[in-house]
Amino acid sequence: MPFLEKKTFTRLTPLLDFLEFSEQNRDLVWDRPKFPLMVPLRLALKMEKNNPHCPLFLQFVPLKKERLVDENYSLEPVKDPIFRLTPKLLKKYEGRSLLLATKACAMHCRYCFRQNFSYETSQKGFQNEIALLQKNDTIHEVILSGGDPLSLQSKDLLELVGQLDAIEHLRIIRFHTRSLIADPLILKQELFDFFLQTRKKIVFVVHVNHPKELGEDLRVCFQKLKKCGVTLLSQSVLLKGINDEAAILKNLCLELFDHGVLPYYLHQLDQVQGAAHFYVERKTGLNLIEQIRSSLPGYLVPKYVEEIPKKTSKTPIFSLHAI
Ligand code: SF4
């Protein structure tokens, strides 16, 4: 079958054909989104046939609902540009810096808050960023983000982590990545070798929203990372119609732990234009967390948080009064 030779769907018709979508269901889909379609084969294979409510389909396939303009949603909800030290280096929180390693991603999530943010520059490499990090010994952790840091060419990523490794006052290199759910084989042996030999602590925060994104292939990848001493945490975005039920979130936490990953954050949606149909009220989120807390041990209950620009950390959502 020709479509199985491709690793990623970037055109709608082959994807909808593959998913055996009816004419009626195709009518829900938006064929000219600004943020283009990008669905890795691994995820397409996990989508339910002819089901526009499938939690994986909803996360990655543009619906006409994205065209709705809502005044509470903006193109740049987390206001990243005000934290820029360089086009690729942000300083938001005490002791930590965020390095936007690349604009590229292995998939395009429809709720992505960076979908309108053009931070790719013509500057190759990270000389300016490394120089700033070297100078500032109050920074003990670098968070690699993007896009997705694992979308960097393997040799560029190795060069970058090698440069970070050489900065003495840095203690932790943290990856925020969703690429592993697109391709659990994406990590090259050289990177595992680096993790084994470095004295820095390596943390992976894996972005997973639904238990269907997990699987045996991912478990093997996580086991390999753990053998290299990597700490594995998860981050999920609370999304309407996808994971806004206690049973799904509970199962997600249990499955993550079963895969060797500790649930870390349940994140309130960043209100980016086009994503309003994913919004879950804080009241509902609090209720969901309460239900998880009552049935799982405390170490499996993620912190329910949101990003409020100019705050010195993610803001925990404890009660409606704080809003
Ligand atoms: S993987 Fe993350 S950065 Fe990339 S499109 Fe999805 S949400 Fe955005």
Side-chain angles (χ1 to χ4, degrees):
M1 300 284 244
F3 58 77
L4 286 182
E5 290 160 17
K6 299 177 70 159
K7 287 204 88 177
T8 299
F9 286 93
T10 53
R11 289 188 305 122
L12 201 51
T13 304
L15 176 64
L16 295 180
D17 289 347
F18 174 65
L19 296 175
E20 299 170 14
F21 257 51
S22 65
E23 281 311 313
Q24 193 186 359
N25 282 337
R26 281 174 201 243
D27 201 42
L28 301 167
V29 178
W30 187 16
D31 58 355
R32 285 163 202 237
K34 214 169 69 181
F35 192 41
L37 178 88
M38 192 178 284
V39 181
L41 180 60
R42 179 181 183 270
L43 297 173
L45 285 165
K46 287 174 178 283
M47 289 179 188
E48 294 159 35
K49 300 292 183 199
N50 194 29
N51 183 1
H53 306 293
C54 165
L56 292 184
F57 177 85
L58 286 173
Q59 287 187 67
F60 301 106
V61 181
L63 299 183
K64 286 179 179 162
K65 287 177 185 172
E66 285 186 23
R67 297 184 300 193
L68 292 175
V69 175
D70 185 317
E71 59 179 22
N72 296 313
Y73 290 72
S74 67
L75 294 177
E76 179 36 90
V78 303
K79 310 278 178 274
D80 270 353
I82 57 180
F83 302 103
R84 277 179 176 169
L85 299 180
T86 77
K88 296 178 185 176
L89 192 68
L90 308 183
K91 177 81 174 59
K92 286 184 161 188
Y93 309 133
E94 197 59 43
R96 287 149 284 168
S97 267
L98 191 76
L99 190 55
L100 301 171
T102 169
K103 160 184 185 174
C105 268
M107 70 209 89
H108 284 172
C109 314
R110 307 317 303 173
Y111 55 84
C112 177
F113 70 89
R114 290 213 172 106
Q115 59 183 276
N116 303 302
F117 186 18
S118 100
Y119 38 80
E120 199 86 331
T121 69
S122 52
Q123 179 215 328
K124 297 274 176 238
F126 299 94
Q127 309 88 307
N128 298 342
E129 292 71 26
I130 296 293
L132 281 174
L133 290 168
Q134 262 162 348
K135 264 191 246 163
N136 188 343
D137 64 5
T138 66
I139 293 173
H140 55 78
E141 178 173 15
V142 167
I143 302 165
L144 298 179
S145 181
D148 194 304
L150 300 185
S151 293
L152 269 183
Q153 293 283 325
S154 178
K155 72 168 181 31
D156 295 337
L157 182 57
L158 271 177
E159 190 179 327
L160 173 60
V161 291
Q163 288 171 322
L164 294 173
D165 197 32
I167 301 176
E168 217 160 298
H169 56 266
L170 277 188
R171 295 174 175 209
I172 305 166
I173 303 174
R174 186 197 325 175
F175 290 75
H176 269 253
T177 178
R178 189 149 164 71
S179 283
L180 295 178
I181 72 147
D183 179 6
L185 298 176
I186 197 171
L187 299 171
K188 299 282 181 285
Q189 187 55 45
E190 293 81 355
L191 199 59
F192 288 110
D193 293 343
F194 168 78
F195 295 154
L196 273 174
Q197 60 81 28
T198 181
R199 294 188 62 191
K200 308 288 187 217
K201 293 291 174 209
I202 305 293
V203 178
F204 266 57
V205 179
V206 188
H207 292 211
V208 182
N209 298 327
H210 194 280
K212 282 187 173 208
E213 295 164 34
L214 299 168
E216 205 42 47
D217 48 358
L218 210 46
R219 190 196 306 267
V220 171
C221 167
F222 291 154
Q223 273 169 359
K224 210 168 162 193
L225 283 167
K226 287 198 99 165
K227 278 189 187 151
C228 299
V230 174
T231 300
L232 295 175
L233 304 171
S234 74
Q235 175 166 316
S236 310
V237 182
L238 184 56
L239 298 165
K240 190 170 184 175
I242 291 163
N243 57 12
D244 59 336
E245 286 177 29
I248 294 172
L249 284 176
K250 197 176 126 183
N251 189 22
L252 177 61
C253 294
L254 285 168
E255 282 290 327
L256 282 164
F257 192 57
D258 195 49
H259 279 64
V261 181
L262 213 49
Y264 174 39
Y265 277 151
L266 178 66
H267 210 290
Q268 187 69 359
L269 179 78
D270 292 312
Q271 292 184 225
V272 67
Q273 200 62 256
H277 56 291
F278 289 120
Y279 184 75
V280 178
E281 297 282 345
R282 289 172 180 80
K283 192 174 159 192
T284 308
L286 283 166
N287 193 274
L288 288 167
I289 285 288
E290 220 30 68
Q291 290 184 65
I292 303 172
R293 202 189 314 279
S294 65
S295 54
L296 292 182
Y299 58 86
L300 291 188
V301 182
K303 296 180 183 75
Y304 183 33
V305 296
E306 65 186 324
E307 177 90 14
I308 300 179
K310 297 193 181 168
K311 292 277 181 185
T312 53
S313 68
K314 298 263 184 204
T315 305
I317 306 176
F318 293 125
S319 74
L320 290 175
H321 303 301
I323 298 161

